[in-house]
Amino acid sequence: MTTGTVIEPYDEAIGQVDAWLAAHGDGYAKKAPNQRRTWILKIDRSLLKNKPVRLILPPNFPAEPAGIYVDTSLFLELPHVERDGHVCLGIEPISDDYINPISAVLRVIQKFENEWFPQCQDASLVEQQFNDEALSYWNNFCTAQRIRIGKSLAPSRTYVEFSPISTWTEGSVASFGHNRKNQRQLVRQIVSMEKKGAFPLAKRHGWNTGSLIRGHAIFIPLPEGRSWTPKTWPTNFTALELLVGQLTSDGVHLTSWLQRHLQSKNPQPIKDETGRLVPEEVGIRPLLVFFVQNSVLFGYQLAPGFILKNKGIELIPISPTRIDSSWSLTRDHAPTPFAARRQKKVLVIGCGSLGSPIVELLARAGVGILDIIDSENFESPNTARHVLGLSDLEQSKAKALEARLRKEVPEISITGYDEDITSWITKPCRHDYDLIVECSGESYLRTVIAHWRAQSFGSAPVLHAWVEPFCSAAHAVLTPVSNPWPAADPADELVNAADFSGQNIRIDLPACGAGFHPYGAADVWQAASFVTERILATLDGRCTTETIWSWVRSKAFYDNLAVKPDLRPIVPVEGSSFDSVMLTRDYRSLIRAQ
């Protein structure tokens, strides 16, 4: 089959519909001349500006449903009409559509005539539907306006680090673009609700590419019950200024705000890490107005270049992308527990194949403050099962992981320490952690922590995590300071699922003490997810007592190994080599009783 060829089943389905409409569709459908897979529906057009209503079968029908199209002038006049005139009816394909494609088409026509069309005859219902899906219609409007205005004025992307407000507030903008054919083209602009925070935010996330111009933004609360529809959107500067004045009780006069920032002197220069000045383009600063309704942002870019030509102010509607942690990590879901998690401070000891995915998972779960310690550098064979890659070769694992997550995860405070933990924990001022996570896999470190934890970490609980050879099992052990993990480290004797002693479980390399345990990322990242789930439960207050959690593969998995360890009773006898169990065991009875 050549690329782009429509496969035969689609042709067959379309042919059935074509033949059926030719034989039975005279009453309500007529084949459109010179248009493939298109028919004109015979319906009342008085509500639709007396323009044709088309039924179009897409090339991959019925995998994609039939579409009904009205005149494009009805975009933003009637609900669910897209820019190309397509009426979004919310119909999804079903299995029976392949057996009976004619019924698939009739289902679309009936929903259009029996549901969408009657709704459009009720003006109040039309307005309500626009308001119920205000953000969708606003986004479509912004896209259409950007196409109309062109890239030179409308930015491609606007990213906003948002936080809730109760009154109007000002922020900063860092705009990046390129000059082409003596015209500036906006590529991206970063908005912070802090007056000097936009450029550092752009730099942190790697968005500071292109020529820089700094500007200003203002955020104005829009009451929850306030309508935001095509009939109520400000469409000119006068209407915008009137709305801003109303919502701020005349605390903001938009013309004065605009003039003040246009006429103000250049802001204080920015310096990079070397002390050099960051070059800035000379030009008119970006000025943005945002209305905030229940954490949803509707924005306007003011184009003051027209002021200098005495042609008024162009309003460019923009649909910003929120990049704050609440939206990026939770979509604003469950804000109270998320806010509590943002305040937690966690120390992770070891960021190897187990520790690195744990750190990443904690960061993406919203833990606000992370310190990570590891004295090793990243080597090329680590690529197989570490979250870092070859771009981090020969870099400190802890520092590289810090840099990665600082760039990729919003608003996280993370610090990597390229130090040996045995020396690091003897330093003062380590008592402010909510949890210590030790996942080095080294017995001697568990012993070191057992001797030093009270002096080093105060009352913070400690969670030890490790995997057994071949990633056959993983364990997480939570201990409070009142009942610590024993310095003798009884992990092998009392916790582990199998006894590998005397077995050749390591692949040796031709260097002094060099070698590795054979398992892959798919194995150890399962263990990391298991451990992280228990860490988060501890931070959220759902686990507060000393506990042993274990994830253990089935006997069939061990039977497939080249070595034959002695299995302990927690290994499940039933199941295939892909099966496993999760266990919770009582720490006191298992450890202290011994």
Side-chain angles (χ1 to χ4, degrees):
M1 183 186 301
T2 60
T3 303
T5 301
V6 179
I7 64 175
E8 184 176 341
Y10 294 153
D11 286 338
E12 182 179 345
I14 292 170
Q16 289 184 41
V17 174
D18 192 4
W20 188 86
L21 286 173
H24 306 283
D26 283 346
Y28 54 88
K30 179 182 178 181
K31 190 69 178 289
N34 303 320
Q35 297 182 53
R36 297 184 60 193
R37 308 182 307 278
T38 303
W39 292 261
I40 305 299
L41 295 181
K42 299 177 180 179
I43 64 171
D44 180 11
R45 302 179 187 175
S46 57
L47 183 68
L48 307 176
K49 299 185 176 180
N50 292 314
K51 297 294 181 69
V53 179
R54 294 169 296 155
L55 169 70
I56 300 179
L57 299 186
N60 59 343
F61 172 81
E64 181 182 344
I68 292 183
Y69 291 75
V70 297
D71 191 74
T72 56
S73 65
L74 296 171
F75 171 58
L76 296 180
E77 289 191 16
L78 295 178
H80 309 299
V81 177
E82 299 172 349
R83 294 195 313 276
D84 61 356
H86 177 251
V87 180
C88 181
L89 298 172
I91 290 181
E92 298 291 337
I94 60 176
S95 178
D96 286 348
D97 293 345
Y98 294 85
I99 301 170
N100 190 348
I102 296 167
S103 67
V105 171
L106 291 177
R107 194 168 78 252
V108 171
I109 294 174
Q110 289 168 359
K111 186 160 188 180
F112 175 79
E113 292 184 336
N114 299 335
E115 294 185 27
W116 181 83
F117 197 79
Q119 290 175 352
C120 292
Q121 296 174 335
D122 186 333
S124 62
L125 188 57
V126 167
E127 189 70 1
Q128 183 62 48
Q129 290 192 18
F130 274 125
N131 201 56
D132 289 345
E133 299 181 21
L135 184 58
S136 294
Y137 293 110
W138 179 256
N139 290 343
N140 283 325
F141 175 57
C142 292
T143 301
Q145 291 298 98
R146 183 173 183 270
I147 294 172
R148 180 186 68 83
I149 295 170
K151 297 180 179 179
S152 61
L153 288 177
S156 299
R157 300 286 186 271
T158 300
Y159 299 155
V160 180
E161 188 177 68
F162 172 76
S163 57
I165 58 174
S166 58
T167 187
W168 66 271
T169 186
E170 292 193 69
S172 56
V173 180
S175 171
F176 299 91
H178 304 288
N179 289 319
R180 294 178 179 173
K181 297 181 179 179
N182 297 321
Q183 195 171 40
R184 177 175 169 83
Q185 178 177 325
L186 289 176
V187 175
R188 182 185 294 116
Q189 52 191 8
I190 316 304
V191 184
S192 170
M193 299 186 77
E194 298 180 6
K195 290 189 177 181
K196 295 183 179 181
F199 182 79
L201 180 63
K203 183 179 178 182
R204 169 175 177 155
H205 295 292
W207 296 323
N208 57 326
T209 57
S211 58
L212 167 67
I213 297 181
R214 285 183 283 173
H216 306 272
I218 188 167
F219 297 83
I220 300 168
L222 186 69
E224 183 175 353
R226 184 92 179 209
S227 175
W228 190 263
T229 70
K231 288 187 176 181
T232 63
W233 299 335
T235 56
N236 55 62
F237 184 79
T238 300
L240 180 66
E241 185 168 43
L242 179 62
L243 179 60
V244 168
Q246 290 174 348
L247 296 177
T248 63
S249 301
D250 290 327
V252 176
H253 296 276
L254 200 54
T255 297
S256 300
W257 181 82
L258 194 66
Q259 291 174 343
R260 171 163 55 91
H261 289 303
L262 284 173
Q263 297 170 3
S264 61
K265 296 181 180 180
N266 290 329
Q268 184 176 358
I270 303 173
K271 295 182 179 181
D272 62 16
E273 298 87 346
T274 65
R276 297 177 182 175
L277 293 179
V278 175
E280 295 191 54
E281 184 176 338
V282 177
I284 298 175
R285 297 173 194 158
L287 300 170
L288 283 71
V289 177
F290 292 101
F291 297 101
V292 182
Q293 187 176 59
N294 292 332
S295 74
V296 175
L297 275 64
F298 307 102
Y300 286 94
Q301 182 111 20
L302 308 183
F306 287 86
I307 294 177
L308 304 180
K309 300 176 184 179
N310 297 316
K311 292 185 179 180
I313 301 173
E314 178 82 10
L315 295 189
I316 304 172
I318 56 174
S319 176
T321 298
R322 281 180 54 193
I323 58 164
D324 52 275
S325 59
S326 179
W327 178 251
S328 300
L329 301 181
T330 73
R331 300 176 191 249
D332 290 336
H333 175 68
T336 300
F338 178 73
R341 195 177 283 180
R342 298 296 297 161
Q343 302 303 313
K344 299 298 182 181
K345 184 175 183 180
V346 177
L347 170 66
V348 179
I349 300 171
C351 57
S353 59
L354 178 62
S356 64
I358 287 176
V359 171
E360 177 135 345
L361 290 169
L362 291 175
R364 295 182 185 276
V367 175
I369 309 169
L370 284 169
D371 286 350
I372 48 180
I373 306 175
D374 198 301
S375 61
E376 293 185 351
N377 287 347
F378 186 83
E379 300 178 352
S380 59
N382 297 144
T383 307
R385 56 196 192 195
H386 203 284
V387 300
L388 298 176
L390 290 181
S391 60
D392 304 300
L393 194 61
E394 299 180 359
Q395 303 298 311
S396 160
K397 288 181 178 179
K399 294 288 188 181
L401 191 55
E402 172 198 338
R404 166 187 165 85
L405 294 178
R406 185 181 297 277
K407 179 179 180 181
E408 302 298 340
V409 179
E411 299 182 275
I412 188 172
S413 174
I414 183 168
T415 305
Y417 295 91
D418 181 18
E419 295 188 43
D420 177 40
I421 183 61
T422 58
S423 301
W424 190 87
I425 64 172
T426 63
K427 299 176 182 179
C429 301
R430 305 298 189 199
H431 292 193
D432 58 344
Y433 292 107
D434 295 288
L435 181 65
I436 314 299
V437 178
E438 183 278 314
C439 48
S440 66
E442 300 289 350
S443 175
Y444 82 92
L445 281 182
R446 292 193 285 270
T447 297
V448 169
I449 292 172
H451 283 290
W452 281 96
R453 66 176 287 177
Q455 298 94 318
S456 298
F457 306 126
S459 59
V462 173
L463 188 144
H464 296 285
W466 67 90
V467 296
E468 295 190 41
F470 307 100
C471 219
S472 55
H475 308 281
V477 180
L478 176 66
T479 63
V481 69
S482 59
N483 198 0
W485 181 254
D489 187 34
D492 287 337
E493 298 81 5
L494 301 181
V495 178
N496 283 354
D499 181 5
F500 284 90
S501 59
Q503 303 284 346
N504 185 14
I505 58 175
R506 198 174 87 143
I507 307 298
D508 293 321
L509 298 175
C512 180
F516 65 94
H517 292 278
Y519 58 84
D523 302 302
V524 73
W525 290 5
Q526 285 188 81
S529 297
F530 168 82
V531 172
T532 304
E533 188 177 35
R534 276 84 189 153
I535 294 173
L536 293 173
T538 302
L539 292 173
D540 293 343
R542 292 182 285 122
C543 298
T544 57
T545 61
E546 48 267 61
T547 307
I548 298 174
W549 296 287
S550 299
W551 167 71
V552 186
R553 296 186 190 262
S554 67
K555 180 178 180 297
F557 177 87
Y558 289 92
D559 290 343
N560 288 334
L561 297 177
V563 299
K564 303 301 175 186
D566 293 329
L567 304 184
R568 294 181 175 137
I570 63 172
V571 175
V573 177
E574 303 295 331
S576 73
S577 60
F578 299 106
D579 295 325
S580 60
V581 296
M582 296 182 184
L583 306 170
T584 301
R585 292 181 282 172
D586 182 68
Y587 176 86
R588 295 184 183 184
S589 61
L590 189 63
I591 301 297
R592 285 307 175 189
Q594 303 296 323

